[in-house]
Amino acid sequence: MKIELAKSYGFCYGVKRAIDIAEKNPKSVTFGPLIHNKDEINRLANNHNVGLVESLDEALEHDTVIIRTHGITKDRLQRLKADGKKVINATCPYVTTPQQIVEKMSQEGYTIVIFGDEKHPEIQGVASYSVAAERTFTVLDESELSALPLGAKVALVAQTTRKPDAYQAIAAELVVRVQELRVFNTICNATFENQEATEELAKKSDIMIIIGGKNSSNT
Amino acid sequence: MKIELAKSYGFCYGVKRAIDIAEKNPKSVTFGPLIHNKDEINRLANNHNVGLVESLDEALEHDTVIIRTHGITKDRLQRLKADGKKVINATCPYVTTPQQIVEKMSQEGYTIVIFGDEKHPEIQGVASYSVAAERTFTVLDESELSALPLGAKVALVAQTTRKPDAYQAIAAELVVRVQELRVFNTICNATFENQEATEELAKKSDIMIIIGGKNSSNT
C-alpha cells in the first residue's frame, strides 16, 4: 500500500498563530473553541491550562479571555473590554480584514453582502461589524440574491474558507444587479491551496483520509 | 408577408438629446460625427446648418463646437475651451459617468480596466480621463487580463453598448485576481433592451432587417 500526502495540508497561519498565543497565556479561557480541532483544544487545556467557555456570562467570570481564531461579535468584544477583562485577541488577521471592511463599507452607505454560512461564528462576527443590520445580508449562493433589497451600492466579502468559483458566481450576478459593486477577495490562500491539493490527490488515489475537525470549514 | 417590429428599438435617450441640442445650435460644427448615423448627420447639415469636422485643427477654426454623444478626450475638450470656443456638450450622460468614474478611481490609486473597443471614440474619451495611463487598460474579453500588471486594487467600467454577460465574465475573472475590485455598471439599459428585443424577435422571424449605422456599436 502506497501512502501519499497532499502537496498542501496542515494548520494554516491563523491557527498556528492562535495556538502560539494560547500556549503563552496559561490560566486563561478561550471564548468559544480557539480552533475547530478537539484534540488540539484538549492538549491546550491539559498541557497549558487554557480553558474553554461557551457563553459571555461564563467568559465574564474569568480574568483573561482569549478571542478565538474565528473572531467574536463586536458587542461581545466591547462588553469584555468594558468589564475590564484582559482580552487577548487570537482572531486570525484574515478574519479581522473582512470585519474591518464590513464596518467601513456599511459606514459609507454600502449594502453588505457576505458569502458564507450565517451560523458560522466567523460570519456572525464579521456581520456584527456592520453599522446597518437592515442592509446586511448573508448568502450561500447567487440564487438567494434576487429576493434581497440590495440598493445601488453593494460591498461583497467572503468567509475565508469559501471556494473561489462560488464567490465568482455571486459577484457576477451582482455586477448586473447594482450600480456599483465592491468585491473584496477575503478568501484565504491557505484554504485555497489545501482545496487544490485535495482535488489533485483525489484524482490519483483509491481512498483518501482527511484528518480534521468535522465542524471545521477548513476541513 | 407579416412585418413585426421589435419590442424595443429606435434612437436612445442620449442620441435624441444630442439631436435636439444640435437642432438648437445652427451655424455650429460637431467634432466627429454627432451620432453614428449618416442619414441623420446629413439631415442636420442640410436642414439645420450643423457641420462636421474630423480633427482638432479643423474644430479650432470654428466658433461653436458641439461635442459628439460619444464624448471626446479630456485634453481636446480642454484645448477647445482654452481657445475660447463656445463648447456645447452633447456627450451622452451615460458616457459622462464612466469618464468621471475613471478620473476619480485613477486619482484614488486604482488600476483602471475598461471593457470595450480601444479604437471606439467613446472608449478613447473614457480612457483619457485616467490620471495614470500606465495603469489604465482596455480589454475585449477576460483572456486579456492575465498579461496585465493589475496591482491590488482595480476599478472596472464598461463601454455603454457592451453585453452584460461578457462584462460579468471579466468581473468574475478579476474577483480572484485582485484584492479589491470595484465594478461600475455603466452598460446602458436602452442598449440592453434593444439587444433583448432583437434576440426575442430573431427567434420567431424568417428574416430580420436591422436599420442603423454600420459603424454604430448600438446597431
Side-chain angles (χ1 to χ4, degrees), chain A residues 168 172 180-183 185, chain B residues 168 172 179-183:
Chain A
Q168 289 176 299
E180 183 193 343
L181 172 67
R182 223 162 150 170
V183 193
N185 190 351
Chain B
Q168 289 176 299
Q179 278 184 299
E180 184 193 343
L181 172 67
R182 222 161 152 170
V183 192

Side-chain angles (χ1 to χ4, degrees), chain A residues 117-180:
Chain A
D117 175 1
E118 64 182 1
K119 290 181 185 140
H120 193 286
E122 175 186 329
I123 293 310
Q124 290 172 342
V126 167
S128 75
Y129 278 80
S130 171
V131 299
E134 75 283 2
R135 51 180 161 82
T136 302
F137 306 103
T138 302
V139 301
L140 275 172
D141 66 65
E142 63 274 22
S143 69
E144 294 174 52
L145 296 169
S146 58
L148 303 179
L150 294 172
K153 288 163 60 181
V154 167
L156 178 65
V157 297
Q159 192 172 350
T160 52
T161 46
R162 289 283 148 185
K163 284 192 173 178
D165 54 354
Y167 197 40
Q168 289 176 299
I170 291 169
E173 180 62 26
L174 285 170
V175 162
V176 294
R177 282 282 313 276
V178 300
Q179 278 184 300
E180 183 193 343

Side-chain angles (χ1 to χ4, degrees), chain B residues 15 33 38 90 153 161 169 181 194 204:
Chain B
V15 165
K38 279 186 186 168
K153 289 163 60 181
T161 47
L181 172 67
N194 286 359
K204 52 183 177 181

Side-chain angles (χ1 to χ4, degrees), chain B residues 3-218:
Chain B
I3 296 178
E4 195 171 346
L5 294 172
K7 271 190 185 162
S8 171
Y9 64 92
F11 287 162
C12 62
Y13 163 75
V15 165
K16 283 180 192 160
R17 178 177 169 273
I19 291 169
D20 192 49
I21 290 172
E23 287 180 347
K24 286 175 182 155
N25 287 283
K27 299 181 196 166
S28 62
V29 292
T30 67
F31 184 5
L34 182 70
I35 59 172
H36 278 140
N37 184 309
K38 279 186 186 168
D39 288 347
E40 193 59 24
I41 285 168
N42 289 338
R43 192 188 67 82
L44 288 170
N46 296 333
N47 299 2
H48 298 276
N49 197 12
V50 174
L52 166 61
V53 298
E54 293 284 3
S55 71
L56 182 62
D57 285 344
E58 284 176 281
L60 290 169
E61 290 166 14
H62 296 266
D63 294 328
T64 303
V65 181
I66 299 176
I67 308 302
R68 62 195 295 182
T69 49
H70 318 93
I72 59 171
T73 60
K74 190 180 174 184
D75 57 337
R76 286 173 169 182
L77 184 61
Q78 285 174 333
R79 176 66 195 281
L80 290 171
K81 287 178 176 171
D83 270 42
K85 302 298 163 192
K86 186 179 174 191
V87 174
I88 295 163
N89 203 337
T91 305
C92 173
Y94 296 128
V95 173
T96 307
T97 300
Q99 288 175 348
Q100 290 167 338
I101 290 168
V102 163
E103 184 164 41
K104 185 161 182 280
M105 289 299 104
S106 63
Q107 281 166 348
E108 290 184 18
Y110 288 83
T111 295
I112 305 295
V113 177
I114 302 167
F115 169 37
D117 176 1
E118 64 182 2
K119 291 182 184 137
H120 193 285
E122 174 187 328
I123 293 311
Q124 289 172 343
V126 167
S128 76
Y129 279 79
S130 170
V131 301
E134 74 283 3
R135 51 180 161 82
T136 301
F137 306 102
T138 302
V139 301
L140 275 172
D141 66 64
E142 64 275 21
S143 69
E144 294 174 52
L145 297 169
S146 58
L148 304 179
L150 295 172
K153 289 163 60 181
V154 167
L156 178 65
V157 297
Q159 191 172 350
T160 52
T161 47
R162 289 285 148 184
K163 284 192 172 177
D165 54 353
Y167 197 39
Q168 289 176 299
I170 290 169
E173 179 62 27
L174 284 171
V175 162
V176 293
R177 280 284 313 276
V178 301
Q179 278 184 299
E180 184 193 343
L181 172 67
R182 222 161 152 170
V183 192
F184 297 86
N185 190 352
T186 54
I187 294 175
C188 175
N189 269 344
T191 309
F192 181 58
E193 282 159 18
N194 286 359
Q195 285 167 356
E196 290 242 300
T198 306
E199 204 175 318
E200 195 185 314
L201 191 60
K203 282 178 188 161
K204 52 183 177 181
S205 308
D206 296 318
I207 289 175
M208 270 182 78
I209 298 173
I210 295 169
I211 303 166
K214 281 190 179 174
N215 58 339
S216 164
S217 291
N218 251 328

Side-chain angles (χ1 to χ4, degrees), chain A residues 13-14 17 67-72 89-102 120-127 129 157-161 186 188:
Chain A
Y13 163 74
R17 177 176 169 275
I67 308 303
R68 61 195 295 181
T69 49
H70 319 93
I72 60 171
N89 203 337
T91 305
C92 172
Y94 296 128
V95 174
T96 307
T97 300
Q99 289 175 347
Q100 291 168 338
I101 290 169
V102 163
H120 193 286
E122 175 186 329
I123 293 310
Q124 290 172 342
V126 167
Y129 278 80
V157 297
Q159 192 172 350
T160 52
T161 46
T186 54
C188 176

